[in-house]
Amino acid sequence: MKKPLIVANWKRYIEKKETAVSAAKAIARGAANVPAEFVVCPSHAHLDAVGKALSGKGVALGAQALSFKEGPMQTGEVSAAMLADLRVKYVIVGHSERRAMGEDSEAVRAQVREALAARLSPILCIGEASRDAGGEHYDALTSQLRGSLGTLSPADQKRLVIAYEPVWAIGKRAGDALDAAALEETVLYIRKVLAETMGRTAALSTPILYGGSVEEENAEALMRSGVAGFLVGHASVDPKSLIAIAKAAHGTSKR
Ligand code: PGA
């Protein structure tokens, strides 16, 4: 049984560097006693300090975004090479909050490519805006997946992580998350599209995470759906709740 992969997406919840560093240290202390892999994604402004706090502690550093164009004339942007230089290992791409700011599939595909070229693992987020009985949400997932993944080499395929995050379930409470049965069905569907895109073997070994109102209360049930772990937003800011989620995920992991 593989360890669950638990990714903390701190978004812009933590404004102060000191708060980010102490939360990272608390996660590293808690992580030492839980059989799970952890990735902490602070804001770009805190990457260096959080990276130093996590160094040698077995918790990986992740970033929340990266530039998707080439060249230096991009005021305010951060490149994959800059992230790699800060010992970042993972980067979230295609998060719905960034798609809402104007990043389209082409931009997301470029970010996946840039991340992989710098040997980072892209955590590619996909998710429908709403669900209906007719199953049209599956079309949204297919086009996001196909639109965001170019042709990947076998080495690149091994680095890819998918995060399925239904947009309507983000930022709420455990009771508002997708239910476990619907998640199981969706994970199978995502794997089928991945198999069509990059072959069955690669598709079977690609970790698929769930994100959207994961809290301690629903982590165990959601984990039974065949996901490899979670992308956790609001509940990841409190180290105790992130560790509790990881403990609940462990033991039900099928990855
Ligand atoms: P949430 O956020 O856990 O607060 O719903 C998840 C995410 O957006 O990555």
Side-chain angles (χ1 to χ4, degrees):
M1 188 176 70
K2 289 238 178 127
K3 293 179 185 174
L5 177 60
I6 308 294
V7 183
N9 176 10
W10 282 354
K11 308 191 181 191
R12 224 194 76 182
Y13 281 111
I14 300 179
E15 303 273 359
K16 290 212 171 295
K17 184 175 74 180
E18 291 71 24
T19 313
V21 166
S22 58
K25 285 183 178 164
I27 289 171
R29 277 195 303 274
N33 304 313
V34 189
E37 281 175 42
F38 287 85
V39 180
V40 172
C41 305
S43 105
H44 283 160
H46 302 151
L47 275 173
D48 191 30
V50 168
K52 284 180 179 137
L54 293 177
S55 176
K57 304 264 172 32
V59 174
L61 185 63
Q64 297 177 19
L66 82 166
S67 153
F68 52 88
K69 291 191 185 131
E70 285 175 19
M73 290 164 75
Q74 299 180 58
T75 304
E77 286 300 303
V78 172
S79 70
M82 292 173 190
L83 297 178
D85 197 38
L86 290 171
R87 284 170 295 173
V88 167
K89 299 284 181 245
Y90 292 82
V91 59
I92 298 170
V93 300
H95 192 282
S96 58
E97 286 156 13
R98 297 204 60 87
R99 290 185 197 257
M101 289 175 209
E103 286 181 12
D104 57 14
S105 276
E106 201 179 320
V108 176
R109 189 164 65 244
Q111 285 171 306
V112 170
R113 196 180 53 231
E114 292 288 307
L116 289 167
R119 297 179 179 276
L120 303 176
S121 283
I123 301 174
L124 171 63
C125 299
I126 56 165
E128 75 280 359
S130 60
R131 281 203 159 217
D132 57 47
E136 271 177 35
H137 49 275
Y138 285 129
D139 297 341
L141 299 181
T142 309
S143 76
Q144 284 175 11
L145 269 174
R146 295 219 174 115
S148 315
L149 292 173
T151 310
L152 303 183
S153 70
D156 287 347
Q157 288 170 350
K158 285 202 182 100
R159 273 199 210 100
L160 178 69
V161 178
I162 302 289
Y164 167 58
E165 297 206 306
V167 181
W168 51 268
I170 291 177
K172 301 191 176 145
R173 309 304 309 183
D176 302 307
L178 186 66
D179 67 72
L183 178 58
E184 185 162 5
E185 216 176 275
T186 311
V187 168
L188 288 174
Y189 182 81
I190 292 170
R191 248 192 237 295
K192 180 177 146 291
V193 179
L194 281 178
E196 287 159 7
T197 315
M198 48 190 220
R200 208 175 115 78
T201 313
L204 282 175
S205 55
T206 301
I208 301 175
L209 311 180
Y210 170 79
S213 299
V214 176
E215 296 182 344
E216 185 184 353
E217 293 90 308
N218 58 359
E220 191 176 334
L222 289 168
M223 198 69 198
R224 289 187 202 282
S225 317
V227 290
F230 299 123
L231 178 54
V232 188
H234 66 273
S236 73
V237 180
D238 172 5
K240 279 201 189 103
S241 89
L242 188 73
I243 298 298
I245 287 169
K247 282 188 178 152
H250 167 69
T252 44
S253 169
K254 288 196 213 160
R255 186 156 74 106

